Amino acid sequence: MNRRSLFFLLVFAGLFLLFLLSPLFCPDPDVIDLSQRLLPPGPGHLFGTDTMGRDLLSRVLAGGRLSYLVGLLTTAIIAVISLFLGLAASADRRLDTVILRLCDSFKALPTSLLAILLMMRFGGGVASMVAALVVVNIPQSVRLVRARALAVESEDFILAKKSLGLGKWEIVFGTVSLHVLDILAVQCAFIFSSSIMAEAALSFIGAGMGPEAASWGTILDEGRDVIYQAWWMIVFPSAFIFLSVLSLNMIASSLRRD
Amino acid sequence: MAASIIKRLLSLVLTLFLVSAAVYAIASAIPGQRSQILMGDAVTSYSSGIQDEWPGYFDWLGRVLRLDFGRSAFGSQDVCSLIASRIPLTAALSLTSLALALAISLSMTALVRLDRSRLSRFLYNTVSTGSMSLPSFILALLLILVFAVALGLLPSGGYVPFSADPVRCIRSLILPSFSLALIHCGLIMRITDSALEREERRAYVPSARSRGLGEWRIVSIHEGVNILGELAAVSMQSLAGLFTSSAAVEYIFALPGLGSLTVEAVGRRDVPTIVALVLLGTLVSAVCGAIGDLAGDRGRGRTRL
C-alpha cells in the first residue's frame, strides 16, 4: 500500500459514506417541482435541478447509493461463487472439464448484449441487475481462481500436507483457498468498477433501473435530451462515475502489484 | 498450423452450439411476449409475422442456421434484412475506432520508450489509467458538451452517408470513434509495453545498437515486427468489443447502426431482434477471438526462433 493507493481508498470510502448518509442532509430526490425546472447550480440547489425540477444533488447521491448497492451485491455474490467453483474445478479433473468448457463458451458471448437479454428476462430493478451482472462476470472470475489454485497446488507445502495424509478436499478448501484470496481481491475491485459502469450504461439505454429510479444512467439519459441547456445534468453524474471507477481501478492495480 | 486451425474450428462450433442453447433458454422464457402479442393484435393485426410461440429448440436452431430469425415484434420487417441494413455503419465505426485506438496507443508507447523523461511517463500513465476509467458513453456526452455545445466545431449527432457528402460523413464520425476508441487504449498500451520490454532483453537489440542503428529504428522495425502477433491478438479482442458494445454511443449520436437498433429493440421489447443481435455478436467475437489466438500463437512461434 503506497500513499497514492491509500488516497484512492480514502476517496472510495468517502464516496461510500457520502452516498449512505445523504438521506440525512439532502432533500427528497423524488420531489417534483415544475416551477423550478432546469435551474443552474446555485445556493438553493448546489448541483442545479433536472427537467422535472428535482434537486440534482440529491438525485446524484441517490444514484450513487443505487450504483454502489448493485456493485457491492454483485461483487459479494461473484466472490463466493467463483471461489467455490474455481477451487472445485482445481481439485477434480472431471468437474474441471465441465466448468472450463462452460466458461470458455460464455467468454464468446458479448457481455453487454447478454446483460440486455438477461434484463429483459428478469425485468427491471436491483435484483435483476445484480443477477444479470453476476451471470455476465462469473466465467472470468472462476477461471482466474482456478488458475491460481492450480499454481498453488503444485507447490511443495501442499505436497507436505498431502504426505501428512490430509484429504484432497480438505487441502483445497482449508489451505489453497487462503492462497487465492489475494487474486480474488483484485478481481473484486475490477468487478465492482465494471458493475458501476454496466449499471449506468444499461440504465442509460433503458434496459436497467426504469425511468423513474434515480440512477446515474437515467439522470444522464434525461440530460442527453437537454444537453444544449443543462450541462450540469451531464457533468455531475459523469464526475461521480469517473471518480468511483478510477479509485477502484487504482486500488485494484496497487493490490496486484503487492 | 492446419491441425491447430481445425481444432479451433471444432471448438468454435461447440461454443456456438452451447451459446445458442443458453440464448434460447433465456429468450424463450422472457415473460410478456404472448400478452404483448395479444394486446398488439388489435393494433397491428396486419403484421401477421409476430411469432406467437417459440418453436422447439432444434426447430428454432434450424431456422437460425437458415438465417430466419422471424419478424420484428414492431412493424413486420424481417429481422435478418433489418440487421443486414445496419451492419455497414457499425462495421465502419468499429474499424475507424480500432485504427484510432491503435494510433493513440502506439504513439504513446513509442513516446515513453524513446523519450524517458518524467513528462512523457506521466502522460503515458494518465492516458493508460484514465482511459480505462472513462466509459465510452460518458466520454461521448462530455465531448458533445465541449466540441458541439461550447465550441460548435463538430455535429452533436446525425449521420450523412459517405456517398452523399464525404466531408460531413467523416465529421459526423470523429466524436463517436474517439469516444469508443479511448477505453481500449489502456489495454493495448499495457500489452504493447510489456511485449516491447521483453524484446528489449533479447540479444539482437544490443547487437543492433553496436552496429550504430538508431533507437527509433530498433523499436519501430526490429522490435515492432516481433510483437506483431501480440498486437494482432489484442486488436482482434478490441475489435470484437467495439462491434458489440457501441449501443449507447450510437444512440447518443443518432447513428443508424446495430447499436441504435439494440436500443430501439430494448424500448419496444422486441425479443426476436435482440436474440439475433446476441447471436451475431457472439459469432463475431468468437471469430475475432479465434483469429486473434492464431495470430498470437504464430507471433510467439516466430519470436522463439
Side-chain angles (χ1 to χ4, degrees):
Chain A
M1 269 286 161
N2 54 19
R3 263 168 56 196
R4 196 175 59 172
S5 50
L6 194 66
F7 170 75
F8 281 107
L9 197 63
L10 285 177
V11 169
F12 180 67
L15 286 173
F16 213 130
L17 273 180
L18 182 66
F19 297 150
L20 210 61
L21 300 178
S22 64
L24 299 177
F25 55 85
C26 269
D28 188 333
D30 296 321
V31 174
I32 294 172
D33 181 357
L34 292 177
S35 66
Q36 307 269 301
R37 290 180 71 243
L38 294 179
L39 291 180
H45 300 281
L46 275 181
F47 283 8
T49 58
D50 70 357
T51 46
M52 309 258 242
R54 292 170 294 198
D55 180 54
L56 192 62
L57 175 63
S58 334
R59 279 189 87 68
V60 169
L61 294 180
R65 207 153 54 237
L66 193 66
S67 182
Y68 278 40
L69 177 68
V70 168
L72 200 64
L73 287 174
T74 309
T75 309
I77 295 173
I78 287 185
V80 172
I81 298 181
S82 62
L83 188 63
F84 187 76
L85 285 182
L87 288 174
S90 77
D92 188 287
R93 202 147 263 263
R94 273 170 306 167
L95 265 178
D96 191 31
T97 320
V98 177
I99 292 177
L100 207 59
R101 183 71 246 172
L102 286 175
C103 287
D104 271 345
S105 302
F106 283 87
K107 205 177 69 177
L109 261 169
T111 50
S112 47
L113 288 168
L114 178 62
I116 290 172
L117 189 68
L118 286 167
M119 286 305 287
M120 288 176 98
R121 168 69 188 85
F122 298 139
V126 173
S128 319
M129 179 68 78
V130 171
L133 293 179
V134 166
V135 173
V136 164
N137 285 310
I138 207 114
Q140 197 201 7
S141 308
V142 172
R143 289 169 61 91
L144 215 66
V145 171
R146 170 192 169 272
R148 182 54 167 250
L150 282 175
V152 172
E153 275 156 42
S154 65
E155 293 201 19
D156 285 344
F157 72 97
I158 297 295
L159 196 67
K161 295 251 176 197
K162 272 185 193 147
S163 65
L164 286 175
L166 287 166
K168 182 171 74 176
W169 295 103
E170 216 175 327
I171 293 176
V172 166
F173 282 99
T175 311
V176 178
S177 61
L178 299 175
H179 291 265
V180 300
L181 289 182
D182 52 351
I183 198 148
L184 195 61
V186 177
Q187 180 67 5
C188 281
F190 273 126
I191 300 263
F192 205 125
S193 77
S194 73
S195 304
I196 290 175
M197 291 195 270
E199 188 272 319
L202 285 169
S203 299
F204 181 75
I205 63 168
M209 289 302 167
E212 67 289 332
S215 145
W216 284 338
T218 50
I219 298 172
L220 286 168
D221 190 27
E222 285 165 31
R224 189 190 61 92
D225 290 331
V226 290
I227 198 165
Y228 278 89
Q229 296 119 54
W231 56 268
W232 52 94
M233 284 193 68
I234 305 291
V235 169
F236 293 120
S238 301
F240 274 95
I241 296 177
F242 177 67
L243 214 56
S244 308
V245 174
L246 180 72
S247 57
L248 281 163
N249 284 351
M250 297 306 277
I251 293 168
S253 72
S254 76
L255 280 174
R256 189 170 40 195
R257 234 174 285 128
D258 289 345
Chain B
M1 189 70 188
S4 86
I5 289 178
I6 290 170
K7 219 177 113 191
R8 299 247 185 239
L9 274 179
L10 281 178
S11 123
L12 190 67
V13 171
L14 184 57
T15 296
L16 290 176
F17 181 73
L18 284 173
V19 164
S20 73
V23 169
Y24 175 84
I26 300 168
S28 59
I30 290 177
Q33 294 186 74
R34 182 136 185 102
S35 62
Q36 182 193 20
I37 292 150
L38 292 177
M39 283 195 317
D41 247 345
V43 191
T44 57
S45 55
Y46 56 89
S47 62
S48 56
I50 302 168
Q51 288 163 334
D52 64 27
E53 231 155 38
W54 280 75
Y57 172 66
F58 287 102
D59 194 4
W60 173 81
L61 190 62
R63 292 189 200 180
V64 165
L65 289 176
R66 277 176 273 129
L67 295 181
D68 171 13
F69 296 100
R71 287 176 181 280
S72 160
F74 188 80
S76 60
Q77 226 181 335
D78 177 43
V79 171
C80 188
S81 60
L82 186 64
I83 285 184
S85 70
R86 302 292 193 101
I87 288 177
L89 185 127
T90 301
L93 188 62
S94 310
L95 287 171
T96 47
S97 306
L98 179 65
L100 204 57
L102 282 171
I104 297 171
S105 318
L106 294 184
S107 49
M108 291 305 291
T109 316
L111 175 77
V112 80
R113 297 206 76 84
L114 293 174
D115 169 39
R116 298 190 178 262
S117 66
R118 283 184 64 183
L119 178 70
S120 59
R121 179 47 70 178
F122 173 77
L123 208 62
Y124 177 87
N125 284 336
T126 310
V127 173
S128 75
T129 49
S131 73
M132 291 175 96
S133 310
L134 204 55
S136 53
F137 77 103
I138 290 184
L139 182 60
L141 292 169
L142 295 175
L143 287 174
I144 289 183
L145 272 183
V146 175
F147 289 98
V149 178
L151 301 175
L153 286 174
L154 290 164
S156 65
Y159 173 68
V160 186
F162 191 80
S163 51
D165 187 345
V167 177
R168 285 180 63 198
C169 169
I170 290 168
R171 276 166 59 85
S172 68
L173 287 180
I174 294 176
L175 291 183
S177 322
F178 189 75
S179 322
L180 286 167
L182 194 69
I183 199 162
H184 291 273
C185 290
L187 183 68
I188 300 177
M189 281 162 75
R190 191 176 298 165
I191 286 183
T192 315
D193 196 52
S194 68
L196 284 175
E197 192 70 52
R198 184 202 62 214
E199 290 302 315
E200 193 70 24
R201 284 194 294 271
R202 282 175 199 274
Y204 71 82
V205 174
S207 140
R209 266 195 204 116
S210 68
R211 278 184 285 137
L213 294 181
E215 277 301 302
W216 165 248
R217 207 181 140 131
I218 295 175
V219 171
S220 66
I221 299 180
H222 294 249
E223 298 181 354
V225 168
N226 280 335
I227 65 162
L228 276 182
E230 278 139 309
L231 217 48
V234 71
S235 300
M236 293 317 282
Q237 193 188 336
S238 291
L239 189 62
L242 286 164
F243 191 79
T244 55
S245 52
S246 59
V249 170
E250 284 185 19
Y251 166 62
I252 291 171
F253 289 101
L255 299 173
L258 292 171
S260 48
L261 180 64
T262 311
V263 181
E264 288 160 32
V266 167
R268 297 171 189 150
R269 294 187 57 78
D270 182 351
V271 180
T273 304
I274 292 283
V275 166
L277 285 165
V278 173
L279 293 176
L280 174 67
T282 309
L283 182 66
V284 169
S285 39
V287 169
C288 282
I291 296 174
D293 284 352
L294 282 173
D297 289 352
R298 234 182 120 68
R300 269 190 290 281
R302 183 164 51 200
T303 49
R304 222 176 283 125
L305 288 175

